[in-house]
Amino acid sequence: MKADLAMAIHFHQPVGNFDFVMERASDQCYIPFIETLKKYPSIKMTFHFTGCLLEWVEKKRPELIDAVRDLVSSGQVEVMSGGFYEPILPPIPYRDRLAQIRMLSSYVRKNFGYEPKGAWVAERVWEPAMPSLFDEAGIKYVILDDTHFLYAGVTKDRTYGHYMTEDSARSVAVFPSDKVLRYHIPFKMPPEAMSYMQAVLRDNPNATFIYGDDGEKFGEWPGTHKWVFEERWLEKFFDEVMANAGWLNTATLSECLQKKPPLGRVYLPTSSYEEMLEWSLPAESQLHYEEVLKEVRAMGKEEYYRPFMRGGFWRNFFSKYPESNHMNKKMVYVSGRLDELKKSGKVKSSEIVEAEKDLLRGQCNCAYWHGVFGGLYLFHLRR
């Protein structure tokens, strides 16, 4: 039996970003990635595009949408749903969470001719009640980091496949994205990723390898366009996958869901990726946490203690930054007023649709937090 490699690539630019940034990302990253993939029709993967990016692409780079539609039509690619404007879902009103997901699902159906089965979780911010939301929105699976599973007590050797989780008996499948592969792709030579997977297969011959990460790593991050495209890292990686086709198969996440049963049931704690949890801590606690990490690393025990070490809670950005809290609460207030107007029947439906779109745009996560990637300090995103 062949092992499966399921790659999920997430493409995103925030609401309000500069045109020149969107143009550079499209021309140096997104379009070259898709054009390269088209040369390898036997390699399958899963894409996620945020609505903020799609709205811009539709006007400025419509050929990108055409190319993805062709890949979907041929069965090479599936497209995921998620929040249309990439909100962190838990701190926005429930009605807006549903509206965000349904809006992107509808867009995928209309523009790519595909019924999305999965959803990308913005910044992998997870809270235990989320399965109910995804079930109501018609979502069958989500992808998180393997770190979430380690925090739940799942050992690393049990993260090569999907699990089921539920809230109030409403369930969704969860795939753990492999940290080792995220650090290998696209930063190490392709044979190293193959060697890693082969080593895992010696003890776990039925493994499914799951990779989920930002598409911007393939050309938009500093220095990566030269490495990935000019020096042909991506082609070399795809060539390596093809050369190992005797034991390695590529698949979409939906195919993995159908092919293999879940590894079990899991209940994941409130979490996000490791760095985000660190950034959400108050400044003094963050410094303390960094010192503890240094001590553990000096002992050579980082991997041993890592499942039991984590930082804070994403919502604490609202206490760390009053500006973030103010924007969030203003957004919640506007959402409530808009809901009252919709129910009153006193406003034209066309005006309601425009107002709701503006509200949902204002929920894009990037301006509500700050870390290496967050944009709270960027006025053009906050506005």
Side-chain angles (χ1 to χ4, degrees), residues 9-14 25 28-30 33 48 50 53 186-187 213-222 224-225 228-229 373:
I9 311 296
H10 161 67
F11 301 101
H12 168 60
Q13 292 295 326
Q28 299 286 306
C29 179
Y30 309 148
F33 187 99
H48 173 256
T50 59
L53 176 59
F187 305 112
D213 216 339
D214 299 341
E216 289 73 29
K217 284 185 174 182
F218 300 89
E220 175 60 8
W221 284 22
T224 55
H225 176 78
V228 171
F229 298 112
F373 301 107

Side-chain angles (χ1 to χ4, degrees), residues 18-43:
F18 296 122
D19 253 16
F20 77 87
V21 176
M22 311 281 268
E23 289 168 358
R24 184 186 64 213
S26 296
D27 297 341
Q28 299 286 306
C29 179
Y30 309 148
I31 292 173
F33 187 99
I34 290 166
E35 289 301 318
T36 303
L37 180 62
K38 284 168 67 176
K39 298 175 186 176
Y40 296 84
S42 64
I43 292 180

Side-chain angles (χ1 to χ4, degrees), residues 77-119:
V77 162
E78 75 162 325
V79 182
M80 299 170 75
S81 183
F84 193 92
Y85 292 107
E86 193 70 353
I88 302 293
L89 289 166
I92 69 175
Y94 192 88
R95 59 181 169 268
D96 296 341
R97 300 177 211 173
L98 278 173
Q100 289 270 8
I101 297 171
R102 287 171 174 166
M103 188 176 179
L104 187 52
S105 294
S106 175
Y107 188 100
V108 171
R109 280 193 296 271
K110 179 181 176 182
N111 292 277
F112 299 118
Y114 184 80
E115 181 64 46
K117 300 168 185 66

Side-chain angles (χ1 to χ4, degrees), residues 248-265:
L248 184 64
N249 178 66
T250 58
T252 66
L253 289 170
S254 288
E255 288 174 336
C256 292
L257 200 63
Q258 294 168 352
K259 285 169 70 172
K260 294 179 183 177
L263 297 177
R265 184 185 300 112

Side-chain angles (χ1 to χ4, degrees), residues 14-313:
V15 170
N17 209 357
F18 296 122
D19 253 16
F20 77 87
V21 176
M22 311 281 268
E23 289 168 358
R24 184 186 64 213
S26 296
D27 297 341
Q28 299 286 306
C29 179
Y30 309 148
I31 292 173
F33 187 99
I34 290 166
E35 289 301 318
T36 303
L37 180 62
K38 284 168 67 176
K39 298 175 186 176
Y40 296 84
S42 64
I43 292 180
K44 295 185 175 185
M45 63 177 60
T46 300
F47 283 169
H48 173 256
F49 294 90
T50 59
C52 348
L53 176 59
L54 288 168
E55 285 185 331
W56 184 91
V57 163
E58 213 174 335
K59 295 175 183 175
K60 303 293 182 73
R61 295 295 187 276
E63 66 272 22
L64 193 153
I65 291 178
D66 295 337
V68 174
R69 187 186 300 116
D70 290 343
L71 290 170
V72 171
S73 179
S74 69
Q76 189 176 357
V77 162
E78 75 162 325
V79 182
M80 299 170 75
S81 183
F84 193 92
Y85 292 107
E86 193 70 353
I88 302 293
L89 289 166
I92 69 175
Y94 192 88
R95 59 181 169 268
D96 296 341
R97 300 177 211 173
L98 278 173
Q100 289 270 8
I101 297 171
R102 287 171 174 166
M103 188 176 179
L104 187 52
S105 294
S106 175
Y107 188 100
V108 171
R109 280 193 296 271
K110 179 181 176 182
N111 292 277
F112 299 118
Y114 184 80
E115 181 64 46
K117 300 168 185 66
W120 186 266
V121 178
E123 302 300 330
R124 280 90 81 202
V125 174
W126 179 263
E127 293 188 17
M130 291 174 76
S132 292
L133 168 71
F134 289 123
D135 180 72
E136 187 168 350
I139 298 300
K140 303 302 180 188
Y141 73 81
V142 297
I143 182 169
L144 300 171
D145 289 358
D146 54 2
T147 310
H148 293 64
F149 293 76
L150 300 182
Y151 291 153
V154 177
T155 55
K156 176 59 185 170
D157 63 314
R158 293 283 299 163
T159 59
Y160 300 103
H162 72 277
Y163 284 78
M164 298 303 297
T165 190
E166 58 85 24
D167 171 61
S168 301
R170 304 182 77 167
S171 61
V172 67
V174 279
F175 285 93
S177 172
D178 191 305
K179 180 181 178 180
V180 177
L181 287 178
R182 293 198 309 275
Y183 278 64
H184 275 59
I185 301 172
F187 305 112
K188 296 189 178 183
M189 295 306 293
E192 294 184 57
M194 301 301 139
S195 297
Y196 163 69
M197 289 188 279
Q198 286 178 317
V200 170
L201 288 172
R202 285 195 282 271
D203 296 319
N204 191 348
N206 199 35
T208 296
F209 297 98
I210 302 123
Y211 171 90
D213 216 339
D214 299 341
E216 289 73 29
K217 284 185 174 182
F218 300 89
E220 175 60 8
W221 284 22
T224 55
H225 176 78
K226 183 175 187 292
W227 171 247
V228 171
F229 298 112
E230 293 178 21
E231 298 179 10
R232 299 180 54 250
W233 182 93
L234 189 58
E235 287 187 17
K236 291 173 185 175
F237 178 75
F238 288 159
D239 287 340
E240 195 70 26
V241 171
M242 298 283 290
N244 288 276
W247 60 270
L248 184 64
N249 178 66
T250 58
T252 66
L253 289 170
S254 288
E255 288 174 336
C256 292
L257 200 63
Q258 294 168 352
K259 285 169 70 172
K260 294 179 183 177
L263 297 177
R265 184 185 300 112
V266 69
Y267 292 91
L268 303 169
T270 297
S271 189
S272 179
Y273 54 89
E274 295 174 33
E275 295 87 350
M276 178 70 86
L277 298 181
E278 183 177 336
W279 298 330
S280 68
L281 288 168
E284 299 83 357
S285 297
Q286 189 172 336
L287 290 171
H288 187 187
Y289 181 74
E290 288 172 0
E291 288 302 316
V292 171
L293 276 179
K294 286 178 187 175
E295 287 184 25
V296 170
R297 284 171 185 151
M299 294 164 54
K301 290 276 194 177
E302 183 177 5
E303 292 308 311
Y304 183 74
Y305 287 120
R306 174 60 73 182
F308 308 104
M309 295 177 59
R310 51 182 148 153
F313 174 28

